[in-house]
Amino acid sequence: MSLKYMTGGVKAVSSGGFDAVISTPKVDLDMEVVLPKGIINRDEYLTNPLVYWSHEWAYNPSAEPIGKATRLDILDDRIESSAEYAPTPKAQNVRALVSGGFV
């Protein structure tokens, strides 16, 4: 399985959540591109907007979400999201790592 990575996407962090650029149309390491305007299931996603640590759901079916998206904006040159952290130990650990600039 090939997972994709994006760095530098977090724009703002608060005690309860974060704002981030979650995708751009730049060529990734697999020589693939995600066109933001190509997203056709935004509204469907927002009915159950779970956020997982590092796409963990892709390789761990029992993974728990670390939060939920509260906003998903599709722009010409990027996809931006806001999310709220879950009140779980794992999510709060991720929050501390993001707030501290470690990830």
Side-chain angles (χ1 to χ4, degrees), residues 36-72:
K37 293 290 186 167
I39 302 299
I40 59 172
N41 64 340
R42 175 191 176 274
D43 293 337
E44 180 183 344
Y45 168 72
L46 289 173
T47 64
N48 190 30
L50 300 178
V51 174
Y52 290 86
W53 174 244
S54 276
H55 296 277
E56 186 178 29
W57 57 267
Y59 54 88
N60 179 3
S62 64
E64 66 180 47
I66 61 159
K68 64 180 178 182
T70 57
R71 173 179 68 91
L72 188 69

Side-chain angles (χ1 to χ4, degrees), residues 10-83:
V10 176
K11 295 172 51 176
V13 177
S14 71
S15 61
F18 61 92
D19 299 327
V21 174
I22 62 171
S23 188
T24 69
K26 294 181 181 176
V27 177
D28 65 21
L29 293 175
D30 293 323
M31 302 306 293
E32 297 175 335
V33 173
V34 172
L35 298 175
K37 293 290 186 167
I39 302 299
I40 59 172
N41 64 340
R42 175 191 176 274
D43 293 337
E44 180 183 344
Y45 168 72
L46 289 173
T47 64
N48 190 30
L50 300 178
V51 174
Y52 290 86
W53 174 244
S54 276
H55 296 277
E56 186 178 29
W57 57 267
Y59 54 88
N60 179 3
S62 64
E64 66 180 47
I66 61 159
K68 64 180 178 182
T70 57
R71 173 179 68 91
L72 188 69
D73 295 337
I74 312 298
L75 307 168
D76 288 335
D77 63 340
R78 66 194 179 281
I79 300 173
E80 292 187 356
S81 181
S82 295

